[in-house]
């Protein structure tokens, strides 16, 4: 029961911090107007936060492994809180950009510590189920963040939106102080911190499988988030509200998949679960191409399937990583987070070229092929394909 309480505290801490990534996105036009700046500079405030969030994953990882989880989490939360207050009172775009950068630096510690602490507290089947619950809670932020931002922003402006973030951050800071313990195993001494730590993670078979699959998974997910509005507007002439509801369907199905993922991993194992569910992502993407040419209903059905199977896949990745790397658990999770953020960043750039030259068919088709490559690679690295081959040939 005590561990469950910590699990939910960690999940909501990470979700609250994740709000900063998307809650104020609907307010960017207002920021542009109020601060008398360009759309490029207003969007840069989103980019700076995301870049800091990604880069500091590999900065915090070794520090967490060496110094402890809570010792890094507390300063990170304090930096995030102070920077959020600074964002609320920013009177120029330059000031906002500085505080957004600091906000990202502070926020970077939270999801990394959360995933690491879950790995510390839970073992085996409980770890798989707990990681699934954590992913489900974390998924709440992108699902409802823009909606909350729009409501708060319409009443109190962008300053009010950041004020809302500051209040929630203060509450979660109190939770960190009074609820969360230090979970770094006393018996585990981390290796000397050097470049070799990162090389070992990439060269490790489980590590390479998880990193490549994580990159592809989040590229898939954000390809849909970015290009779904274009597909629905050009092909079905939907309004902004209707497009928002369709995007919500993707998120909700992903949350459901994340919750069920733990049970699936308990039954068949995290490695088999990863390969099985990601294979269905590839199949669902192919069905999406066909459905997009048929009707809106069929498109939405396949969209829900993609979200569901992506959700099933998400929690298996950090579960495998936490089990494989004990001494360097935070470092491994940090590298994984960096790679998946790169997947998010790649999807708009690569997707724009594919969509321009071949529309939905080329964009989603190439994405499905990429998923298939990840499935084959991960099957080999995790030893699943070798076992099948041995059984087929009768070797032992």
């Amino acid at each position: 029961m005590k561990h469950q309480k910590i699990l939910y505290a960690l999940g909501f801490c990470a979700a609250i911090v994740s709000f900063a990534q998307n809650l104020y996105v609907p307010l960017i036009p207002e920021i542009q107007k109020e601060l008398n700046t360009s759309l490029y500079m207003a969007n840069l405030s989103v980019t700076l936060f995301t870049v800091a969030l990604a880069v500091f994953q590999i900065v915090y990882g070794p520090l967490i492994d060496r110094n402890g989880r809570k010792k890094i989490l507390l300063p990170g939360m304090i930096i995030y809180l102070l920077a959020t207050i600074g964002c609320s009172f920013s009177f120029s775009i330059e000031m906002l950009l500085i505080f957004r950068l600091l906000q990202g630096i502070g926020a970077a510690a939270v999801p990394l510590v959360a995933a690491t602490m879950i790995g510390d507290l839970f073992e085996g089947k409980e770890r798989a189920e707990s990681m699934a619950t954590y992913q489900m809670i974390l998924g709440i932020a992108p699902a409802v963040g823009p909606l909350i931002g729009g409501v708060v922003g319409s009443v109190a402006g962008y300053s009010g939106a950041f004020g809302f973030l500051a209040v929630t951050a203060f509450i979660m800071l109190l939770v960190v102080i009074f609820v969360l313990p230090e979970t770094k195993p006393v018996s585990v001494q981390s290796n000397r911190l050097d470049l070799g730590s990162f090389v070992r993670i990439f060269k490790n078979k489980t590590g390479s499988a998880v990193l490549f699959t994580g990159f592809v998974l989040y590229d898939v997910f954000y390809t849909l988030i970015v290009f779904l509005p274009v597909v629905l507007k050009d092909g079905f002439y939907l309004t902004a509200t209707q497009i928002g509801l369709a995007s919500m369907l993707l998120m909700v199905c992903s949350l459901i998949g994340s919750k069920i993922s733990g049970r699936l991993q308990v039954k068949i194992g995290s490695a088999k679960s990863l390969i099985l569910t990601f294979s269905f992502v590839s199949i669902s993407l192919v069905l999406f191409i066909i459905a997009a040419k048929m009707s809106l209903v069929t498109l939405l059905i396949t969209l829900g399937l993609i979200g569901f199977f992506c959700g099933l896949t998400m929690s298996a990745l950090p579960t495998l990583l936490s089990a494989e790397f004990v001494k360097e658990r935070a470092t491994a999770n940090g590298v994984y987070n960096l790679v998946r953020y790169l997947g998010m960043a790649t999807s708009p750039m690569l997707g724009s070229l594919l969509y321009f030259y071949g529309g939905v068919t080329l964009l989603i088709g190439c994405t499905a092929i990429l998923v298939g490559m990840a499935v084959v690679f991960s099957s080999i690295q995790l030893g699943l394909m070798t076992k099948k081959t041995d059984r087929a040939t009768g070797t032992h």
Side-chain angles (χ1 to χ4, degrees):
M1 181 62 70
K2 182 181 178 181
H3 285 181
Q4 288 297 317
K5 181 176 164 183
I6 295 171
L7 171 63
Y8 283 102
L10 289 168
F12 283 109
C13 278
I16 290 299
V17 167
S18 181
F19 274 135
Q21 197 169 11
N22 51 52
L23 182 138
Y24 91 121
V25 170
L27 306 176
I28 287 178
E30 182 188 335
I31 290 173
Q32 179 187 358
K33 181 181 178 181
E34 290 292 324
L35 299 181
N36 193 26
T37 187
S38 65
L39 181 60
Y40 171 81
M41 293 297 286
N43 282 328
L44 186 60
S45 64
V46 179
T47 302
L48 282 178
F49 178 90
T50 305
V51 168
L53 191 67
V55 171
F56 271 77
Q57 296 298 306
I58 56 174
V59 174
Y60 284 134
L63 293 175
I64 294 167
D65 279 328
R66 168 159 289 190
N67 300 310
R69 311 343 184 180
K70 193 171 179 178
K71 287 180 181 178
I72 303 301
L73 179 60
L74 271 174
M77 288 290 291
I78 291 171
I79 292 171
Y80 173 79
L81 173 59
L82 295 177
T84 303
I85 294 172
C87 289
S88 182
F89 288 97
S90 293
F91 51 80
S92 70
I93 187 61
E94 292 79 13
M95 189 175 176
L96 178 64
L97 291 177
I98 291 171
F99 281 117
R100 281 291 282 174
L101 182 64
L102 291 172
Q103 194 183 34
I105 291 172
V110 182
L112 180 52
V113 169
T116 304
M117 290 181 80
I118 291 170
D120 294 339
L121 292 169
F122 300 94
E123 297 288 342
K125 296 178 180 180
E126 287 188 350
R127 179 182 289 155
E129 292 180 333
S130 299
M131 202 67 78
T133 300
Y134 168 72
Q135 289 290 339
M136 183 192 70
I137 297 172
L138 190 58
I140 293 173
V144 302
L147 178 62
I148 294 175
V151 172
V152 175
S154 64
V155 176
Y158 79 89
S159 293
F162 281 116
F164 172 81
L165 286 175
V167 172
T168 56
F170 178 72
I171 294 171
M172 297 318 296
L173 178 60
L174 295 178
V175 171
V176 169
I177 294 172
F178 295 109
V179 175
L180 298 184
E182 176 57 67
T183 65
K184 182 178 184 294
V186 178
S187 60
V188 173
Q189 297 297 321
S190 58
N191 294 326
R192 184 170 61 88
L193 302 180
D194 55 20
L195 187 60
S197 298
F198 300 107
V199 174
R200 283 191 293 273
I201 294 165
F202 277 98
K203 291 179 69 175
N204 179 278
K205 289 188 175 183
T206 299
S208 60
V210 169
L211 294 178
F212 183 46
T213 303
F215 177 89
V216 175
L217 173 63
Y218 283 88
D219 175 82
V220 170
F221 205 68
Y222 276 77
T223 292
L224 288 170
I225 290 173
V226 171
F227 290 97
L228 183 63
V230 179
V231 173
L232 292 176
K233 185 176 181 181
D234 292 348
F236 299 95
Y237 311 104
L238 298 189
T239 64
T241 302
Q242 291 170 330
I243 292 172
L245 290 173
S247 299
M248 185 72 74
L249 171 66
L250 175 68
M251 297 296 184
V252 169
C253 289
S254 173
L255 291 177
I256 295 171
S258 294
K259 181 57 181 173
I260 297 175
S261 174
R263 300 174 190 172
L264 181 63
Q265 291 180 65
V266 168
K267 287 185 177 180
I268 66 175
S270 296
K272 289 182 180 179
S273 173
L274 171 64
I275 301 304
L276 178 64
T277 57
F278 212 38
S279 297
F280 278 112
V281 171
S282 183
I283 295 170
S284 299
L285 287 168
V286 174
L287 293 175
F288 183 87
I289 297 173
I290 300 170
K293 299 176 182 178
M294 295 174 61
S295 69
L296 178 60
V297 173
T298 55
L299 182 148
L300 292 176
I301 291 172
T302 54
L303 179 67
L305 287 175
I306 295 170
F308 177 70
F309 288 120
C310 281
L312 280 174
T313 305
M314 285 177 182
S315 66
L317 296 167
T319 302
L320 284 167
L321 213 57
S322 292
E324 183 70 18
F325 298 95
V326 178
K327 294 182 179 181
E328 300 166 315
R329 185 170 284 151
T331 303
N333 279 313
V335 174
Y336 168 70
N337 283 343
L338 172 63
V339 168
R340 70 186 181 95
Y341 288 140
L342 289 176
M344 297 177 194
T346 301
S347 57
M349 297 182 292
L350 179 61
S352 295
L353 290 173
L354 295 173
Y355 190 77
F356 177 79
Y357 286 106
V360 176
T361 301
L362 183 62
L363 172 64
I364 305 300
C366 288
T367 305
I369 292 171
L370 189 60
V371 173
M373 291 170 59
V375 168
V376 173
F377 177 76
S378 295
S379 296
I380 295 171
Q381 293 298 91
L382 296 173
L384 299 180
M385 188 166 286
T386 303
K387 292 176 184 178
K388 289 182 180 180
T389 303
D390 290 346
R391 284 197 297 268
T393 57
T395 57
H396 298 284

